[in-house]
Amino acid sequence: MWLNTSYAKSGYAYLIPMGQERASLILTVPYTTHEELNQHWKSFIDTEKLNPEVVELWDIEFESGLSYPHQVGSTFLVGASGGFVGSLLCSGLFPSLISGFEAARAISVGTDYSKTMEPYFTNMKRQFNLRQLWDGLDNHNLDRVVSLLNIKPVKYGLLNCNLDILKRADSLIGYFKRREKTKNLS
Ligand SMILES: Cc1cc2nc3c(=O)[nH]c(=O)nc-3n(C[C@H](O)[C@H](O)[C@H](O)COP(=O)(O)OP(=O)(O)OC[C@H]3O[C@@H](n4cnc5c(N)ncnc54)[C@H](O)[C@@H]3O)c2cc1C
């Protein structure tokens, strides 16, 4: 995985091996236009000195964000349309599936969809907060984040403890966001 604002802005690039000789190389650039994509790709390939033999290329335009309310009369907003895709890493398969199940349950047995999805919505709001903070990080800050994540106890805690990290970090994220805002105003 690569983090570098010069070609990925506040996004990232990653490589997924598909076997001994093939892999998927993904570059995710937020706040960009289709026209700018080629330039980002070229810069990524040049900077990281990658020389892939390209067998297939594709682009996906993807929008994520918060959505509210999640139910309007008999219309239920589920999955990506309900804002159940995280703003930071675009992970949303699990909450999206859950939203489908919960919408079905609300329709069939009358449960309160907004209420059952509330914990997932809270998690999405936390991810959104983190995304807003992340957007302001430069390469130096990103290096610091990666170094922090590589400290053994932090890494161990993240990988082995069943902690809700976003919940714990939310007030810290709020503090840093307020600090950035004050800095920008002065
Ligand atoms: C590049 C990328 C990588 C991702 N990686 C991950 C990951 O690693 N882990 C993870 O958890 N999530 C990941 N996600 C997010 C994940 O894909 C979404 O959270 C999930 O697909 C949302 O499911 P959905 O059913 O709401 O929407 P979708 O999967 O987008 O399904 C919507 C479907 O509706 C169809 N459709 C749209 N309009 C119409 C219409 N008018 N009529 C009929 N059909 C229509 C579309 O063709 C599509 O098939 C990734 C997303 C992207 C773009």
Side-chain angles (χ1 to χ4, degrees):
M1 184 174 180
W2 295 264
L3 298 166
N4 187 330
T5 56
S6 67
Y7 54 73
K9 297 191 184 177
S10 52
Y12 47 89
Y14 58 98
L15 184 122
I16 308 173
M18 311 284 279
Q20 293 284 327
E21 291 177 351
R22 294 184 76 172
S24 255
L25 189 58
I26 319 273
L27 174 64
T28 304
V29 190
Y31 317 115
T32 196
T33 60
H34 199 257
E35 292 69 41
E36 289 170 355
L37 275 185
N38 272 348
Q39 191 45 46
H40 291 305
W41 263 110
K42 193 176 167 336
S43 170
F44 169 46
I45 300 285
D46 290 349
T47 309
E48 304 304 343
K49 300 186 179 38
L50 301 168
N51 191 16
E53 183 195 336
V54 180
V55 288
E56 199 183 350
L57 275 173
W58 74 95
D59 300 330
I60 300 173
E61 194 179 333
F62 191 74
E63 286 187 35
S64 71
L66 297 174
S67 114
Y68 189 84
H70 294 114
Q71 184 183 352
V72 182
S74 57
T75 303
F76 292 79
L77 296 172
V78 301
S81 67
F84 294 113
V85 180
S87 313
L88 192 66
L89 292 173
C90 231
S91 59
L93 283 176
F94 180 70
S96 292
L97 279 172
I98 298 285
S99 66
F101 300 149
E102 291 301 344
R105 221 194 291 268
I107 294 164
S108 60
V109 294
T111 50
D112 184 341
Y113 179 61
S114 308
K115 211 167 175 179
T116 49
M117 287 312 292
E118 181 61 36
Y120 300 93
F121 186 44
T122 304
N123 183 281
M124 292 299 145
K125 284 192 278 192
R126 288 183 181 140
Q127 290 199 42
F128 185 71
N129 275 339
L130 185 54
R131 156 58 68 193
Q132 287 183 315
L133 184 69
W134 192 271
D135 282 343
L137 301 183
D138 57 19
N139 278 340
H140 178 60
N141 289 326
L142 289 173
D143 283 343
R144 286 162 81 178
V145 173
V146 173
S147 306
L148 178 77
L149 295 177
N150 265 321
I151 296 174
K152 267 199 178 139
V154 178
K155 200 171 178 174
Y156 181 85
L158 284 173
L159 297 177
N160 297 293
C161 299
N162 200 14
L163 271 181
D164 188 343
I165 307 287
L166 273 180
K167 186 176 171 186
R168 312 269 155 175
D170 201 40
S171 40
L172 199 62
I173 292 166
Y175 164 76
F176 281 119
K177 263 178 69 184
R178 283 192 299 279
R179 210 178 70 160
E180 278 302 300
K181 213 170 169 180
T182 332
K183 230 174 25 191
N184 292 339
L185 287 175
S186 58

